[in-house]
Amino acid sequence: MTSASAAGGEATAATGSPVWQWGRLSELSPEDLYAVVRLREEVFIVEQQCAYHDADGRDPQAWHLLGWSDGQKGRNLVAYARIFEPGIRYTESSIGRVVTAPRVRGTGLGKTLMAEALRRLDGLAPGQPVKIAAQRRLEKFYLDLGFRTVSPPYEEDGIIHVDMLR
């Protein structure tokens, strides 16, 4: 079931307190899905100048965590993560496609997003390890969240990554 709940009151990007929406791909409205695709494309393809297949066939198997803020033109998608239960992407649980909108970077929203993703994942698979494929430039960010590096650096889609486990 898709649910929206305030995490700390009214959604504002400045405070890092978005309204969270959680659900399966089939539960997202066309407008919500469009916002997800647009944000992922804006950051992962355009900003990072990385031509890759975002539609990798895994979205139907994932849970989707969307963070919305209210703006002058209505609600805006400012944070997103794709979450997998154990045995789907890896043997372990997994979080991927972690992204915040460029306009809210530096506000702490990335940490808020990961904390919410880990909380939701713990509800799906309590106490299970979590594996991620992190961009190497974000390794310290994930180390600070309790992950540890478990692979040497490798190239994926033209970007250096490392596998990390929590």
Side-chain angles (χ1 to χ4, degrees), residues 124-144:
L124 293 173
Q128 295 296 308
V130 180
K131 183 175 183 178
I132 61 172
Q135 291 184 10
R136 180 84 189 266
R137 67 183 184 83
L138 296 170
E139 187 173 10
K140 182 178 178 343
F141 171 80
Y142 292 110
L143 287 169
D144 290 346

Side-chain angles (χ1 to χ4, degrees), residues 2-166:
T2 302
S3 66
S5 62
E10 182 136 336
T12 61
T15 64
S17 300
V19 172
W20 296 113
Q21 179 182 351
W22 171 250
R24 295 292 202 168
L25 183 67
S26 62
E27 298 170 327
L28 299 179
S29 73
E31 293 79 16
D32 295 343
L33 179 57
Y34 183 80
V36 167
V37 170
R38 186 172 180 163
L39 180 59
R40 286 176 14 180
E41 181 181 90
E42 175 185 6
V43 174
F44 299 133
I45 297 173
V46 177
E47 179 183 307
Q48 295 179 1
Q49 299 178 4
C50 181
Y52 79 108
H53 290 284
D54 185 48
D56 61 1
R58 293 187 178 123
D59 286 310
Q61 300 168 318
W63 288 90
H64 301 269
L65 179 62
L66 292 73
W68 299 94
S69 73
D70 292 325
Q72 294 175 344
K73 298 179 182 178
R75 68 184 190 141
N76 298 296
L77 184 63
V78 293
Y80 170 83
R82 185 167 79 166
I83 297 168
F84 296 97
E85 295 165 276
I88 297 177
R89 173 123 164 91
Y90 301 114
T91 303
E92 304 85 357
S93 300
S94 182
I95 301 170
R97 298 288 201 270
V98 177
V99 61
T100 57
R103 67 189 169 281
V104 299
R105 294 204 191 123
T107 64
L109 185 56
K111 288 183 181 179
T112 302
L113 169 62
M114 280 301 295
E116 185 67 16
L118 289 165
R119 186 181 76 76
R120 300 285 179 138
L121 191 48
D122 194 49
L124 293 173
Q128 295 296 308
V130 180
K131 183 175 183 178
I132 61 172
Q135 291 184 10
R136 180 84 189 266
R137 67 183 184 83
L138 296 170
E139 187 173 10
K140 182 178 178 343
F141 171 80
Y142 292 110
L143 287 169
D144 290 346
L145 292 171
F147 286 86
R148 62 185 168 84
T149 305
V150 295
S151 78
Y154 60 91
E155 184 260 323
E156 182 178 320
D157 299 319
I159 297 174
I160 302 300
H161 285 72
V162 290
D163 289 338
M164 303 185 80
L165 200 59
R166 182 175 193 265

